[in-house]
Amino acid sequence: MITTAQFTYIPLESQNPRESIEFLLEMVAQHEVEVDVNYLSTSVRGETDTIFELIREIYDTMTIEGEEFRFHIELLNPVPVDDTEQLNIPE
């Protein structure tokens, strides 16, 4: 199954919020997902288990880092993998 998630990560009380966002995007890049970085949010598309692992990793890592944050996630329903459809995952 393939799932699409859109998330918005808002660092709170951060001296350098851009650094937190860049760190988060580096984490996303380490997973086999399609990524679309927008002005206020990021969309990822991939295997459902991978998407949920990524969300959990972001949440846990930023908590361990001592960040204060708001993490808003929207999920689209999963769809079956079509054999003719390939995920566009950068290498």
Side-chain angles (χ1 to χ4, degrees), residues 2 45 47 79-87:
I2 300 295
R45 182 173 177 263
E47 294 288 335
V79 295
V81 177
D82 181 347
D83 292 337
T84 62
E85 179 183 17
Q86 298 291 320
L87 287 177

Side-chain angles (χ1 to χ4, degrees), residues 2-7 34 42-48 51 55 73-79 87:
I2 300 295
T3 298
T4 301
Q6 180 180 34
F7 53 81
E34 290 180 8
T42 298
S43 296
V44 292
R45 182 173 177 263
E47 294 288 335
T48 301
I51 297 297
I55 291 167
I73 304 161
E74 291 184 30
L75 297 167
L76 293 177
N77 62 291
V79 295
L87 287 177

Side-chain angles (χ1 to χ4, degrees), residues 12-57:
L12 304 173
E13 299 183 28
S14 175
Q15 296 297 331
N16 191 350
R18 184 176 300 269
E19 187 176 285
S20 296
I21 300 298
E22 288 172 0
F23 179 72
L24 181 139
L25 291 174
E26 288 173 13
M27 289 175 52
V28 170
Q30 295 175 13
H31 291 80
E32 292 189 17
V33 294
E34 290 180 8
V35 181
D36 184 22
V37 178
N38 300 300
Y39 185 69
L40 295 175
S41 64
T42 298
S43 296
V44 292
R45 182 173 177 263
E47 294 288 335
T48 301
D49 289 342
T50 303
I51 297 297
F52 280 97
E53 288 170 17
L54 174 60
I55 291 167
R56 182 62 185 218
E57 182 179 329

